[in-house]
Each structure stands twice: as structure tokens, then as C-alpha cells.
Amino acid sequence: ATWNALGVARASTGDYARAEEPFHRACLLDPLLPDACLYFGRTLYLLDRFEPALDVLRRAPRSGQTYRIEALCLAALGRAAEAAAAFQKALSLPSRAAPDDDPAIDYGVFLFRQGRAEEALEPLRGAVQRHPDGARAQMELGGVLLALAQVAAAADHLEKSTSPNGRSSRAHLLLGKRFRRLG
């Protein structure tokens, strides 16, 4: 638990390179410690070490978040069919994650990047329904709607995405594009 706490402290400052070793030790010493292996796998993902992250996540206790990070790794490796299946598993399980870590958001982004913008709307709308104040869900839905030339529909979501999280430069950029398209 102490190693896990040290990893959390380092990761909370964005120092994932220094968080890796404490998470690794916590996962090795007690693989059933809540979130120890999940945090280790997530840290490896954030360090762009996708195959090692998959190895860790597949041995970790299964949850919506382990499947979510597994899906993100598979997507980064270009294994789209496997990523889609992992996203579906993540969505089928209850999640206790923060609103911005809702697997439906990542699945919607994945579908959009696969050129399936229309299909991306359903999971993104679901995330917005579950977390109406979630800045990331609002931003991603607004971005997809904007890409689909549904400028007016995108406006509300993009404006909501900048309100609770005024630091998101991407949200402000998308909102600027929306205003530009409206003249």
C-alpha cells in the first residue's frame, strides 16, 4: 500500500516516469491491492509502453477501467478489432471512474478516429447524459458534431466544455471553429 501511495503521489504531479517503479513494486507485492496493477498498467500506457501495459492489465483484477486502458493500448497499437471488443467489455461493467475517464468517451473518440463519426455519437451522448457537467464528454461530443457539420448542435456542447474547465485549449479551439463557421 505504501508503494502504491508513493506512485499515486508521483503520478498526481504528472511524473509518470518516477511513478512507474512504485506502482510496479505495489503490483508485484500485492496484485490484489485495489488499483495497484491498474495504476501500473495505466502508467505504462501513459509512457507509450503499450505491450508491457497490456501484460500487466491482463493479469490485473478485471474492471471497466482495466478494460478501458487495455482498449486504449490496443488502439494505439493499431489493433482496432481487439480495441473495439475491449471497449465493449469496459462499457458493460459498472464504472467508479471520474467523469472524464468514462469508457464511453474513449470509445466515442476511437470510433471517430476510425472514420465512424455517426457511430461515435451514441456513446458520447451516453457519457454526456451520465455526466452533464463533464467537460471532456461535452468537448468530444461537440467536436464530433462539428466534424459532421452540425454546427448549431455542436455549440451548446462546446460552450459547456469550456465553462467547467476553462484550461482546455482544445475546447476553446473547437469553440472558435464553431464561431468561425457561423460567421
Side-chain angles (χ1 to χ4, degrees):
T2 303
W3 285 111
N4 198 48
L6 178 60
V8 168
R10 290 178 175 171
S12 70
T13 65
D15 192 351
Y16 301 112
R18 289 188 59 225
E20 178 186 353
E21 181 61 24
F23 284 142
H24 185 188
R25 287 179 185 258
C27 183
L28 282 175
L29 291 170
D30 189 356
L32 299 178
L33 180 70
D35 298 329
C37 293
L38 168 65
Y39 291 166
F40 179 40
R42 181 178 182 268
T43 299
L44 292 171
Y45 164 75
L46 292 169
L47 294 171
D48 296 335
R49 296 179 48 211
F50 308 120
E51 289 291 349
L54 286 172
D55 291 340
V56 170
L57 293 166
R58 288 181 174 154
R59 291 190 316 264
R62 304 312 271 168
S63 70
Q65 286 303 301
T66 55
Y67 281 115
R68 173 183 163 261
I69 303 298
E70 181 180 323
L72 291 169
C73 289
L74 291 164
L77 291 167
R79 294 159 54 183
E82 291 175 80
F87 276 124
Q88 291 296 323
K89 287 179 185 174
L91 292 169
S92 72
L93 296 171
S95 180
R96 57 180 173 83
D100 284 351
D101 290 336
D102 187 324
I105 300 170
D106 293 310
Y107 186 47
V109 170
F110 167 79
L111 291 170
F112 179 74
R113 290 180 180 163
Q114 295 290 310
R116 299 160 58 188
E118 290 287 339
E119 290 176 63
L121 293 173
E122 181 182 343
L124 290 171
R125 285 183 173 137
V128 165
Q129 279 184 326
R130 281 187 298 283
H131 314 289
D133 294 328
R136 183 167 174 243
Q138 295 284 357
M139 179 185 64
E140 298 297 355
L141 178 56
V144 171
L145 290 167
L146 191 62
L148 291 170
Q150 297 179 28
V151 180
D156 185 46
H157 297 289
L158 293 172
E159 288 173 4
K160 286 179 182 175
S161 75
T162 59
S163 297
N165 185 3
R167 295 169 292 162
S168 173
S169 58
R170 182 166 175 255
H172 285 279
L173 175 67
L174 290 172
L175 188 57
K177 286 182 179 183
R178 177 258 178 189
F179 285 128
R180 193 167 144 216
R181 286 188 185 175
L182 290 175

